[in-house]
Structures are given as structure tokens and as C-alpha cells.
Amino acid sequence: MAGKKILVVDDSALIRKQLGDLFDRAGYDVGLAKHGQDALEFIQAVDFDVVTMDINMPVMDGLTAVKEIMRIKPTPIVMVSSLTQDEADITFEALEAGAVDYVPKPGTLSLDLARQEQEILQKVAAAAAIPKSRLTIRRQATQKKMDLLKKKSQPKVVLDKVPERLVLIGASTGGPGLIEEIVTQLPGDYPYPVCIVQHMPENFTGIFAKRLDKKAAVEVVEARQGDKLVAGKVIIGKGGRHLHFTKKASGHLAVKLVPNTMNHFFCPSVDEMFCAATRVFDPKCIMAVELTGIGDDGADCMVKLRQGGAYTLAESEQTAVVYGMPKEAWERGGAVKKLPFPEIVKEILTYGEQR
């Protein structure tokens, strides 16, 4: 990434060296900071294209630093997380505050080092390419969302009947905030099940689902083996397993979690979910949505869905944080429409009314 400037923020000298050397070999101009306060001083003096941010640091922690950077000089920030449960919660708070993605801290995954470095470089490159004009601090809950939160005191109603339609959503970098906006706008009586694959590691998806469930009028759960797909229920694909489906004797679709036997780079994979749905459900009764994300996951099987008569949507470059996955879906002919995100939300909310 010749000419791109990156700031590595971490209180560990070892991690600073590991990441600094990795980015230096990739062609970045590298700056190093040992805590959040140090980072703020760098940010105000130098125009960095991207920042990697540790979470737990002395003087100023990563979450506070993200909020301050987004306030004084919005810059693409990628969180560096050890992927523990505590850090997962903080990582989601950082994403809500304006960070665009997260990567595993070197040495925290069982993946071989080359593959882990590939993921880090890929996500950092995507973040560095994000126009700074597109960065905004995640807005406070609107009155509508506050009203939905008030409804949490009432039991959620999940209708146990065979759904007539199915909504499938795939996302990667920049996706968690969009997923939250969709889910929190679904009414409690939304008539279809919604299945979502957001690229996340294993111990993040359960926490993500719980955070969404607290804010939504619909039920939100992490995918569980045998879970039925029913109206008013949102299922988040489980990290480390692909989200497939099976059909019960009752006619209901149910979740089938499968291992990554095809060695997809991302697990869960959007392609796996899209193709699996075509094998057990009439594509003409499926809406498939491809949101922001790196690469092309979901594009090939969105083509198959459209060929079968599904209603397929790709997020436009106008709003996509990373115009990768939706671009590939559109250019390969997989999407019926290419729309900015607010229009996609409207399509999801009104799906089936005019079709």
C-alpha cells in the first residue's frame, strides 16, 4: 500500500513490532503509539489513512481513543482484539462509536500465521480505502428505537407457522451497524424469518445476537442446530459454522450447522447460506441482500438465487463502507437492484406487499 500511512496503537512492544513489521513489508508508512493518548497526538499531527487500535491500554484505553478520534478527526479504525468475551463487548461498543472493523490480535487464533496475517492485511487495506467523508460517529438511538426498546417489557410474539417467504442477508466489513439498523426497525409482527451471515469469529456472534435482541422488537438468536425458522425471528449465523437449512416433516425450515469442509476463508460464509437456501426453499419466495464487505462472498450464489426467481438486492457504492461483496454480486448479474442502504431497509420492511 505505497503511500498509505498507518498508525499502530498497542501498549505491547511485541505487538507493535509484529504489526509494524507486517505493515512495513506491505508498503505502508508506519507510525507506532503505545496508548490512546499517544495516538491522539499522532492523529492531530499526521493525516493517517488507517489506525489499528488495541483495546486494553494504560493512560487511555482503545474505546475512549476511538470516540475521541471520531470526534476530532474521523479516521478509519480497525480494532485489534484478543477475541475474549469481555473484549468482544468492547469491540462492539467501538464499532458503534465509529470503528469500521476488527482483527484478531496476532497469536490469538489457531490459524496458521500466514493466514492470520492475510486477514489482517486484507481488512486494513479495505479500511484504508474508505473515504473519510463516509465516516460518522454512530448516531444515538432515535425515538423510534427508544420506542422499540420500551416494547422489550412485553413478551415477544413468534408465530409458529410455516413461513411463506424468507429473508437472507449477508455482510462483512461495516456490516454490524447496518444489521442493527435493520433488525431494530423490524416490527414485532414481521411476517417472515430473517437469517443473517455477518463475518465474525466464533465467540462474537452469540454476543452480537444478544446485543441485538435487547434492542429489537423481534426475537434475535444465534443459530442453533435444529432451530425452526418462523415469522418474527432473526437468526444470526454462528461463527465457525456455516448456516444451512433442512426441511422438517411439518414443512418448517430448520437450521443446520455444518463445518467448514470446503475451507472457505470466511466461516460462516454468505455463499454457503444463499446456496443452501435454494436447495430447500422456493427461490421465488426468497429475498437475498448483499451488504458492505470485503471480497466476493455471496456473489456466486446470489446469481443462482436470481436465476431461480429470488428478489436480490445489492448495496450501492453510495452507502457501502466497503464496496466489495455487493459490487461483485451486481457485476456478476446476481442482483435485481442496486440500492443505497436506506432504500434496502424499506425493501426489507415492505417485502411481499407488492410481489
Side-chain angles (χ1 to χ4, degrees), residues 49-123:
D49 296 285
V50 63
V51 176
T52 67
M53 183 71 69
D54 187 22
I55 292 176
N56 294 311
M57 296 179 290
V59 184
M60 182 183 288
D61 63 86
L63 177 58
T64 301
V66 168
K67 292 177 179 178
E68 285 299 299
I69 290 171
M70 297 308 294
R71 182 180 67 83
I72 64 175
K73 194 174 182 179
T75 304
I77 300 172
V78 177
M79 304 305 293
V80 180
S81 172
S82 65
L83 307 185
T84 62
Q85 182 167 335
D86 287 343
E87 289 208 352
D89 276 324
I90 297 172
T91 299
F92 284 120
E93 290 185 47
L95 291 173
E96 291 177 357
V100 298
D101 208 346
Y102 53 88
V103 295
K105 184 168 288 191
T108 57
L109 290 181
S110 58
L111 298 174
D112 62 85
L113 182 59
R115 184 164 180 173
Q116 191 167 350
E117 289 183 346
Q118 179 187 358
E119 178 180 353
I120 292 171
L121 288 174
Q122 187 182 50
K123 289 191 172 185

Side-chain angles (χ1 to χ4, degrees), residues 44 49 69 93 107 122 151 190 194 232 264 288 308 316 323 334 341:
Q44 293 179 79
D49 296 285
I69 290 171
E93 290 185 47
Q122 187 182 50
K151 293 179 183 178
Y190 190 69
V194 179
H264 287 281
S316 68
Y323 189 52
F341 178 70

Side-chain angles (χ1 to χ4, degrees), residues 269-331:
S269 158
V270 182
D271 258 327
E272 289 271 346
M273 175 178 69
F274 283 175
C275 276
T278 66
R279 295 192 286 268
V280 295
F281 203 72
D282 183 356
K284 294 183 181 66
C285 298
I286 293 175
M287 168 188 272
V289 178
E290 187 87 305
L291 297 176
T292 174
I294 298 168
D296 63 356
D297 185 25
D300 285 341
C301 287
M302 181 173 268
V303 171
K304 294 181 180 179
L305 278 166
R306 184 180 182 183
Q307 289 172 343
Y311 187 45
T312 53
L313 305 175
E315 185 179 5
S316 68
E317 188 175 10
Q318 179 182 342
T319 58
V321 173
V322 179
Y323 189 52
M325 287 163 46
K327 177 183 179 182
E328 291 298 323
W330 176 254
E331 293 186 347

